[in-house]
Amino acid sequence: ALPNKGRLNQSAIRLMNQIGLPVPDSGNRTLLAEFGRGRYQILLARAQDIPEFVEMGAADLGITGLDLVMETARKVETVMTLDFGRCRLVVAVPDESPIETVDGVKDGCTVATCFPNLTKAYFSRLGKDVNIAEVTGATEVAPQVGLADVITDLTETGSTLKLNHLKEIGVVLESRAVLIANQRARSEKKERIEEVTSALESVMNASRKR
């Protein structure tokens, strides 16, 4: 299973093409393509659904973000980390906020996020009791509209935070793309899975040397 859109989509498709599985660059969100006389199938799905698909056995392998694997807490095996999709889940506040570090976040404040589980666990580890406001997108505007005092959001360079007059005060998680496997398939389809992982390792090693 591969992400059908978003920041991981093009890199995942490019990687499949490099190992000999030429996935069509299609806008079809439910594309199911076959390769090797049906020995392999590629399913395009939402990145956040891939951990569930892999856990349930709808897919034997999946490429998605480590952040989504950790957030969903699905019972999958992380087979290998990949050379793309690097980002951070950070804590941020408005530029004018007096808070400079996460130590300054007060109990009872509201934190807007697309990652409620990771965010709640992070503040719990810090001994802070915060209110979680779960949003599905545009997290960075939450302080502007009065929804939250603090946010956690994914960032690659920090430029989106700056554009929205936010400053980073902490890091919840360092993330990147990962290859995950269904636990049962890892043993029952060991040989075929190793074919894929070996091909991925070869491509990434060649890229690093180049």
Side-chain angles (χ1 to χ4, degrees):
L2 304 179
N4 62 6
K5 59 181 179 178
R7 61 188 180 85
L8 302 179
N9 169 261
Q10 290 299 313
S11 295
I13 288 177
R14 191 179 307 116
L15 188 58
M16 289 298 102
N17 293 342
Q18 289 173 323
I19 68 169
L21 302 179
V23 181
D25 186 5
S26 169
N28 181 357
R29 295 185 180 182
T30 57
L31 175 70
L32 184 65
E34 290 193 355
F35 304 94
R37 297 178 181 177
R39 293 183 74 240
Y40 295 101
Q41 291 181 319
I42 300 290
L43 170 68
L44 293 183
R46 297 195 314 162
Q48 55 265 48
D49 292 337
I50 289 176
E52 180 181 5
F53 282 13
V54 172
E55 181 192 52
M56 301 300 291
D60 300 309
L61 296 170
I63 291 178
T64 189
L66 176 62
D67 51 296
L68 294 171
V69 176
M70 300 291 287
E71 172 66 21
T72 58
R74 292 288 179 176
K75 294 179 181 178
V76 297
E77 293 187 28
T78 300
V79 180
M80 60 194 302
T81 56
L82 304 174
D83 289 342
F84 61 90
R86 291 180 180 84
C87 62
R88 293 170 296 129
L89 180 60
V90 303
V91 185
V93 295
D95 286 339
E96 66 272 15
S97 172
I99 301 174
E100 296 295 335
T101 69
V102 289
D103 291 336
V105 175
K106 298 184 181 302
D107 287 349
C109 82
T110 300
V111 183
T113 183
C114 295
F115 296 86
N117 295 326
L118 283 172
T119 299
K120 185 175 182 178
Y122 174 76
F123 281 104
S124 292
R125 288 195 300 272
L126 296 175
K128 296 186 178 294
D129 183 17
V130 299
N131 299 313
I132 303 296
E134 184 175 356
V135 296
T136 56
T139 311
E140 63 274 4
V141 303
Q144 299 176 29
V145 298
L147 177 63
D149 314 293
V150 181
I151 70 166
T152 66
D153 201 11
L154 287 179
T155 183
E156 294 181 44
T157 64
S159 58
T160 302
L161 295 178
K162 292 177 182 177
L163 283 172
N164 287 278
H165 309 291
L166 297 167
K167 60 184 179 183
E168 179 183 327
I169 62 169
V171 179
V172 177
L173 177 72
E174 298 275 354
S175 183
R176 62 195 300 178
V178 291
L179 179 72
I180 58 176
N182 174 273
Q183 293 178 341
R184 179 179 295 178
R186 189 81 188 275
S187 58
E188 292 181 351
K189 302 181 181 181
K190 181 179 179 181
E191 183 177 337
R192 198 171 299 183
I193 286 176
E194 286 180 352
E195 287 180 16
V196 175
T197 56
S198 295
L200 292 174
E201 286 174 348
S202 296
V203 166
M204 290 192 295
N205 287 336
S207 178
R208 289 165 188 158
K209 290 177 181 177
R210 187 165 64 245

